[in-house]
């Protein structure tokens, strides 16, 4: 995700702290059942995403598209098939009730906020810094962290390989056919060579790392030193601030009914 | 033999998992697009998100691999900018843990289609538990909830059980599994001959 975003203050927050606090926010979101509060939170998080991550408008919109799709599908499923008593609309098996509709919208917002919090995290965190921080602040074993970093480096190679296989098939006029058989031959034509090559490459890298005396367990020095500082404190204050604003704001601003969306 | 996972096992598992991380990410729009069809056809596709754990176990056959694979795949999905955001991490962890639990019950000795299907079912159950907290699935109409369960379980057995097994068998034929599995008793015996 590097290179597509300008640096903002969120980039300077320690990745481990950011991860833990974001997970905390995520879990606390599970306990919000009030539609109006959820809406306000969603608005605040969209604003954070738009102005806090430094991602350009075009890319932000591109990212947002699948999120919007997920939002719509979440709303629809619950609205059409959810339980309720005040029916608005019925057609065959579909019964949209007031309760199920609002519950669906709530779920849509929840899916949206979950996704956006993750996206804010990803857009403002460099993977290498994340793994260095995990090793230094959270005592994540270097064996795992370096494996992750090496594997991320391999992804573009795997993508290139995929293209090569595709072109090779095209040149040879490979047609997998249709239905279950076609699916099977497509699977073995792409997945098997890609996985086999990846395993071979990963094995060679591991051998090379071990040859360089990489053990991945003992104490080691780090090229990037990450610490916990003022930006982390600011991030915590920021989250508390948002919580406060939404809490107080929901008393004054009522855009959607202030009701519990759970079954009563 | 040292206990635990060697660097080779970890690196191979994580590389496989990150490939699945990309697939998991690309799977989300497919899933969302199928969802409005209704009747939970989409749930048949859900099993794809359990595939990494059983497959990694079938390839490497060591304790801890399924958990590592599923967690790594979900973090890979997150790093790709997943629609599900950080909740993928929680899902991945639960799904991986439960699949691992089933494999542990068989003491990691059995690696047949039945065992991985059971692992897939366990992952599926784990995902449903978290869905209960996140998605109010108990508020669906009964027949719809029933369809939801059936479709998701069938999908997971098909994808994370049967397809995972088929893929692993095909990979065995290429010979790469020999790199990571290390020597078997059969290999040792062949030295004596």
């Amino acid at each position: 995700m590097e290179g597509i975003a300008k640096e903002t203050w969120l980039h300077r927050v320690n990745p481990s702290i950011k991860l833990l606090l974001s997970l905390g926010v995520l879990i606390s979101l599970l306990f919000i059942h009030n539609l109006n509060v959820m809406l306000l939170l969603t608005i605040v998080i969209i604003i954070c995403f738009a102005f806090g991550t430094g991602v350009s408008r075009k890319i932000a919109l591109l990212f947002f598209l699948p999120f919007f799709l997920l939002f719509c599908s979440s709303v629809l499923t619950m609205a059409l098939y959810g339980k309720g008593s005040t029916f608005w609309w019925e057609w065959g098996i579909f019964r949209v009730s007031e309760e199920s509709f609002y519950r669906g919208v709530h779920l849509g917002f929840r899916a949206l906020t979950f996704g956006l919090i993750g996206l804010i995290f990803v857009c403002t965190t460099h993977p290498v810094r994340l793994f260095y921080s995990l090793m230094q602040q959270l005592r994540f074993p270097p064996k795992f962290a370096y494996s992750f970093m090496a594997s991320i480096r391999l992804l573009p190679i795997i993508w290139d390989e995929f293209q090569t296989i595709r072109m090779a098939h095209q040149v040879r006029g490979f047609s997998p056919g249709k239905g279950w058989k076609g699916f099977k031959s497509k699977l073995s034509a792409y997945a098997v060579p890609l996985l086999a090559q990846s395993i071979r490459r990963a094995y060679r890298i591991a051998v090379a790392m071990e040859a360089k005396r990489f053990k991945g367990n003992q104490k080691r020095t780090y090229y990037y030193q990450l610490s916990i500082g003022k930006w982390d404190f600011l991030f915590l204050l920021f989250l508390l601030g948002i919580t406060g604003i939404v809490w107080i704001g929901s008393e004054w601003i009522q855009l959607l009914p202030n009701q519990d969306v759970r079954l009563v | 033999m040292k206990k635990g996972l060697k660097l080779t096992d970890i690196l191979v598992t994580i590389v496989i998992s990150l490939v699945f991380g990309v697939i998991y990410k690309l799977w989300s729009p497919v899933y969302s697009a199928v969802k409005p069809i209704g009747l939970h056809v989409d749930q048949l596709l859900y099993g794809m998100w359990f595939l990494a754990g059983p497959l990694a176990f079938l390839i490497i056959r060591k304790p801890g691999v399924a958990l590592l694979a599923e967690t790594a795949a979900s973090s890979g999905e997150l790093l790709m900018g997943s629609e599900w955001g950080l909740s993928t991490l929680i899902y991945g962890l639960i799904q991986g843990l439960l699949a691992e639990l089933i494999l542990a019950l068989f003491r990691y000795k059995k690696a047949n289609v039945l065992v991985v299907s059971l692992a897939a079912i366990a992952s599926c159950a784990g995902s449903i538990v978290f869905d209960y907290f996140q998605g109010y699935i108990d508020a669906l109409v009964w027949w719809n909830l029933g369809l939801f369960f059936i479709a998701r379980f069938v999908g997971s057995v098909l994808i994370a059980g049967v397809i995972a097994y088929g893929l692993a068998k095909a990979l065995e034929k290429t010979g790469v599994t020999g790199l990571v599995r290390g020597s078997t008793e059969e290999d040792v015996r062949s030295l004596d001959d």
Side-chain angles (χ1 to χ4, degrees):
Chain A
M1 292 287 157
E2 68 236 64
I4 52 169
K6 279 193 307 243
E7 198 151 288
T8 63
W9 69 277
L10 282 172
H11 286 80
R12 289 182 211 127
V13 179
N14 184 292
S16 301
I17 302 290
K18 208 183 334 181
L19 182 66
L20 290 180
L21 286 177
S22 304
L23 276 173
V25 171
L26 189 88
I27 294 189
S28 47
L29 276 175
L30 288 178
F31 296 98
I32 293 176
H33 306 293
N34 182 304
L35 187 55
N36 193 40
V37 174
M38 198 66 216
L39 171 68
L40 292 179
L41 255 176
T42 312
I43 294 171
V44 170
I45 289 175
I46 289 177
I47 292 172
C48 289
F49 172 64
F51 299 101
T53 53
V55 177
S56 73
R57 293 279 167 279
K58 225 195 227 161
I59 290 169
L61 263 168
L62 199 73
F63 268 129
F64 203 72
L65 220 66
F67 286 65
F68 188 67
L69 196 64
L70 179 66
F71 170 80
C72 296
S73 71
S74 302
V75 176
L76 269 179
T77 310
M78 186 49 83
L80 291 177
Y81 305 113
K83 284 182 200 160
S85 48
T86 325
F87 293 110
W88 280 353
W89 183 71
E90 266 179 85
W91 186 73
I93 51 170
F94 305 122
R95 299 170 102 183
V96 180
S97 64
E98 187 184 337
E99 292 91 336
S100 69
F101 176 75
Y102 284 136
R103 199 181 302 121
V105 173
H106 189 87
L107 283 179
F109 285 145
R110 184 178 278 174
L112 201 58
T113 47
F114 273 23
L116 283 177
I117 291 170
L119 202 55
I120 291 172
F121 176 80
V122 170
C123 287
T124 61
T125 310
H126 194 288
V128 172
R129 281 173 58 87
L130 169 65
F131 290 110
Y132 268 84
S133 160
L134 285 176
M135 284 190 283
Q136 290 171 46
Q137 269 82 46
L138 299 183
R139 304 266 163 257
F140 195 63
K143 226 172 8 178
F144 292 93
Y146 280 93
S147 296
F148 263 103
M149 287 190 275
S151 306
I152 290 173
R153 282 290 191 196
L154 287 182
L155 284 179
I157 302 178
I158 296 170
W159 176 250
D160 280 349
E161 231 162 42
F162 171 71
Q163 297 289 355
T164 312
I165 294 173
R166 211 173 52 126
M167 286 190 275
H169 283 322
Q170 257 172 9
V171 162
R172 290 166 174 81
F174 166 74
S175 66
K178 282 200 178 107
W180 174 246
K181 253 208 164 124
F183 174 76
K184 247 180 97 175
S185 66
K186 219 189 223 159
L187 195 70
S188 54
Y190 287 100
V192 174
L194 277 178
L195 281 171
Q197 281 298 71
S198 314
I199 292 170
R200 285 197 190 102
R201 196 170 283 121
Y203 177 75
R204 284 200 297 269
I205 291 173
V207 170
M209 280 163 87
E210 275 171 348
K212 292 268 185 189
R213 311 299 293 158
F214 177 85
K215 289 268 175 29
N217 282 328
Q218 76 275 54
K219 248 180 115 63
R220 55 177 298 122
T221 53
Y222 296 103
Y223 184 71
Y224 299 105
Q225 292 286 344
L226 285 104
S227 54
I228 296 171
K230 61 173 181 191
W231 294 107
D232 306 298
F233 187 62
L234 197 69
F235 185 59
L236 180 65
L237 282 183
F238 177 70
L239 291 181
L240 292 176
I242 287 180
T243 317
I245 289 170
V246 171
W247 196 289
I248 298 164
S250 66
E251 301 277 317
W252 300 91
I253 312 165
Q254 272 217 28
L255 300 170
L256 282 170
N258 227 334
Q259 67 181 38
D260 195 311
V261 293
R262 282 173 298 181
L263 282 178
V264 272
Chain B
M1 269 289 278
K2 259 202 314 191
K3 272 194 117 181
L5 296 173
K6 287 183 300 178
L7 180 67
T8 322
D9 307 324
I10 295 171
L11 196 59
V12 170
T13 309
I14 293 179
V15 167
I16 297 172
S17 308
L18 286 194
V19 174
F20 275 98
V22 178
I23 296 173
Y24 284 10
K25 161 68 187 164
L26 297 176
W27 204 244
S28 311
V30 177
Y31 174 78
S32 303
V34 173
K35 207 165 181 178
I37 296 177
L39 304 177
H40 297 300
V41 179
D42 53 316
Q43 294 302 322
L44 284 170
L45 301 177
Y46 205 98
M48 183 57 112
W49 285 304
F50 310 140
L51 185 51
L55 182 65
F57 169 72
L58 286 172
I59 292 169
I60 298 167
R61 300 202 181 163
K62 279 186 184 159
V65 164
L67 172 62
L68 174 64
E70 194 59 23
T71 317
S74 66
S75 40
E77 188 189 354
L78 170 69
L79 289 175
M80 299 289 136
S82 163
E83 286 93 311
W84 315 95
L86 286 169
S87 59
T88 51
L89 282 184
I90 303 175
Y91 274 110
L93 197 66
I94 299 175
Q95 286 157 197
L97 263 176
L98 286 168
E100 190 70 41
L101 190 74
I102 296 291
L103 300 172
L105 281 179
F106 288 91
R107 293 163 169 261
Y108 304 100
K109 292 258 160 60
K110 293 241 164 60
N112 52 34
V113 75
L114 186 72
V115 173
V116 282
S117 298
L118 281 176
I121 288 173
S123 291
C124 179
S127 74
I128 287 175
V129 170
F130 193 66
D131 271 354
Y132 173 78
F133 287 109
Q134 195 213 321
Y136 303 131
I137 51 171
D138 54 324
L140 288 169
V141 179
W142 65 270
W143 60 266
N144 205 266
L145 187 63
L147 270 181
F148 172 91
F149 277 123
I150 294 170
R152 189 179 286 188
F153 276 110
V154 168
S156 7
V157 169
L158 275 182
I159 299 180
V162 177
I163 291 182
Y165 189 75
L167 260 179
K169 274 275 162 265
L171 281 171
E172 264 170 29
K173 276 188 208 147
T174 66
V176 285
T177 48
L179 287 177
V180 278
R181 271 190 211 153
S183 48
T184 56
E185 272 176 47
E186 214 172 304
D187 296 331
V188 176
R189 244 181 290 129
S190 71
L191 284 178
D192 293 331
D193 293 337

